[in-house]
Amino acid sequence: MKRIAVIPGDGIGEEVIDGALEVLNAFSFPFKYEWGEAGDAVKERKGVALPEETLELCKESDAVLFGAVGETAADVIIKLRMELQTFANIRPAKSFKGVKSLYDDVDIVIVRENTECLYKGLEFEVADGITEGIRIITRNASEKIAHYAFELAKKERRKKVTALHKANVMRKTCALFRDVCRTVAKEYPEIEFNDYYIDAACMYLVMDPWRFDVIVTTNMFGDIVSDLAAGLVGGLGLAPSGNIGEKSAIFEPVHGSAPDIAGKGIANPSAAILSATMMLKHFGFIDEANKIEKTLEKVILEGKTTPDLGGKLKTDEMVREITKNLELS
Ligand code: GGG
């Protein structure tokens, strides 16, 4: 039995996690779900965004299924990733047939270092009107994430790894990351490797996304570039992620709490459902994950979607379309 901590969080987090659980519950996985609270609303109520008991629950679990948080992202999801040492944040951006988007055949995986960089939270107000943030990049974490990217490329039979950095300006931190990636690349001669400056890469992503296959980059660049990549394939409603560590893993949609649509019942559940299929694959339930993904693709192609993808369905109606079309055996 796998222990899964379920942290719906704020805003649409609860709506999309309910949808993902309904799809998972169509099967009988050996999962024990245990709920924990975190996020903006908990901070208002209890004065703390990530209560100790939630952190403990996540640490004791085999995986965390996480929804979304708003203003407390640094106190909740960033802290969880650091505490659980989920060093790799995997964010696929893949086209779905039937989704109006800039391109219809994009298939990129972003491998984001998840434990350091400017997201480490080392920010200070040094004087009135003067603030500083410290960017930590280490050889160890860079080697680990670079190896992860190449191993993922090998496992998924992908052909190319591209490292993104800004080593011409950040001559210590980014240069270290770039040099480590270049060195690790030599261990994988069968996989093509190149590196780009992050700014140039953003332009290439928009103009010519097919030059990318696996992207490996540092924490903050990875956060930004994964939203950009999601924008190429139809938006954040379709962007899942998995935060992978040696002992723990957190699966979460890339989107935030979307307060503008929270409570309206129209949030797209796809990113949460796809995050749940990443969790299934992590635990070896490959066939079931593939079935869910195929059914989601069919439902999207038929236009039975929430309004962000052009459909007229509510979140629960889209989920029902998926569960009723699922081939269970
Ligand atoms: N489910 C994702 C979520 O809650 N995102 C809020 C956010 O700002 N996350 C920052 C990050 O992914 O690094």
Side-chain angles (χ1 to χ4, degrees):
M1 188 68 79
K2 299 281 180 203
R3 286 182 71 184
I4 315 289
V6 181
I7 318 289
D10 295 311
I12 63 167
E14 190 156 343
E15 300 161 48
V16 299
I17 289 298
D18 278 354
L21 286 175
E22 201 171 319
V23 173
L24 289 177
N25 286 337
F27 297 84
S28 309
F29 294 111
F31 294 161
K32 179 177 179 217
Y33 299 110
E34 295 167 280
W35 271 258
E37 53 178 15
D40 302 7
V42 185
K43 186 165 186 188
E44 267 201 42
R45 240 182 321 112
K46 294 190 165 172
V48 53
L50 182 64
E52 204 49 48
E53 61 271 21
T54 305
L55 180 58
E56 277 315 301
L57 171 69
C58 294
K59 283 183 174 170
E60 288 163 5
S61 300
D62 296 297
V64 179
L65 189 57
F66 186 89
V69 285
E71 296 306 312
T72 52
D75 308 311
V76 179
I77 188 62
I78 306 291
K79 185 167 178 199
L80 271 179
R81 292 175 190 153
M82 307 268 171
E83 289 277 343
L84 273 57
Q85 280 297 300
T86 55
F87 66 92
N89 189 334
I90 312 307
R91 295 185 155 188
K94 195 169 187 300
S95 299
F96 277 77
K97 287 200 174 69
V99 173
K100 199 163 161 262
S101 56
L102 275 179
Y103 304 102
D104 54 16
D105 52 357
V106 170
D107 183 5
I108 299 169
V109 181
I110 294 161
V111 177
R112 164 184 171 189
E113 201 292 321
N114 217 20
T115 59
E116 47 185 35
C117 188
L118 282 167
Y119 281 21
K120 212 154 175 74
L122 299 173
E123 290 205 306
F124 310 96
E125 185 166 355
V126 288
D128 187 31
I130 304 177
T131 54
E132 71 177 17
I134 300 179
R135 186 170 196 247
I136 306 285
I137 301 292
T138 64
R139 183 183 305 283
N140 264 351
S142 303
E143 277 175 359
K144 211 162 166 182
I145 200 68
H147 278 114
Y148 194 96
F150 279 98
E151 289 299 326
L152 180 141
K154 253 169 75 176
K155 189 168 142 213
E156 297 193 2
R157 297 179 196 282
R158 291 177 179 270
K159 296 194 163 39
K160 184 175 173 186
V161 172
T162 302
L164 306 185
H165 57 82
K166 189 68 181 168
N168 57 336
V169 175
M170 290 189 272
R171 291 181 177 151
K172 296 287 181 206
T173 53
C174 269
L176 174 62
F177 182 78
R178 177 204 58 197
D179 293 348
V180 165
C181 289
R182 285 180 179 173
T183 305
V184 170
K186 295 197 175 86
E187 294 174 34
Y188 300 87
E190 72 281 20
I191 295 169
E192 192 186 336
F193 172 76
N194 71 342
D195 59 88
Y196 289 132
Y197 295 132
I198 183 72
D199 47 344
C202 288
M203 179 189 67
Y204 295 143
L205 270 164
V206 173
M207 296 184 72
D208 182 16
W210 305 283
R211 68 170 79 193
F212 296 94
D213 192 350
V214 175
I215 287 175
V216 62
T217 190
T218 46
N219 203 340
M220 190 175 77
F221 292 159
D223 191 13
I224 297 167
V225 104
S226 54
D227 273 37
L228 192 160
L232 297 175
V233 299
L236 286 171
L238 294 169
S241 76
N243 303 269
I244 311 298
E246 319 281 1
K247 293 199 196 109
S248 263
I250 308 168
F251 298 89
E252 49 159 340
V254 172
H255 62 67
S257 60
D260 52 326
I261 59 162
K264 295 186 178 163
I266 55 166
N268 185 346
S270 306
I273 293 168
L274 291 168
S275 304
T277 65
M278 288 180 82
M279 179 173 83
L280 291 180
K281 288 179 187 168
H282 178 75
F283 287 133
F285 298 107
I286 312 292
D287 286 351
E288 293 87 342
N290 287 338
K291 278 180 186 169
I292 295 170
E293 286 175 7
K294 288 269 162 302
T295 312
L296 177 64
E297 281 167 18
K298 175 179 179 298
V299 163
I300 289 175
L301 185 60
E302 289 169 353
K304 293 170 180 162
T305 69
T306 44
D308 58 303
L309 295 183
K312 293 195 172 72
L313 298 191
K314 295 270 204 178
T315 311
D316 54 353
E317 293 169 330
M318 183 170 174
V319 169
R320 218 164 300 133
E321 280 302 323
I322 298 164
T323 50
K324 86 175 186 219
N325 281 287
L326 264 179
E327 191 196 309
L328 295 174
S329 53

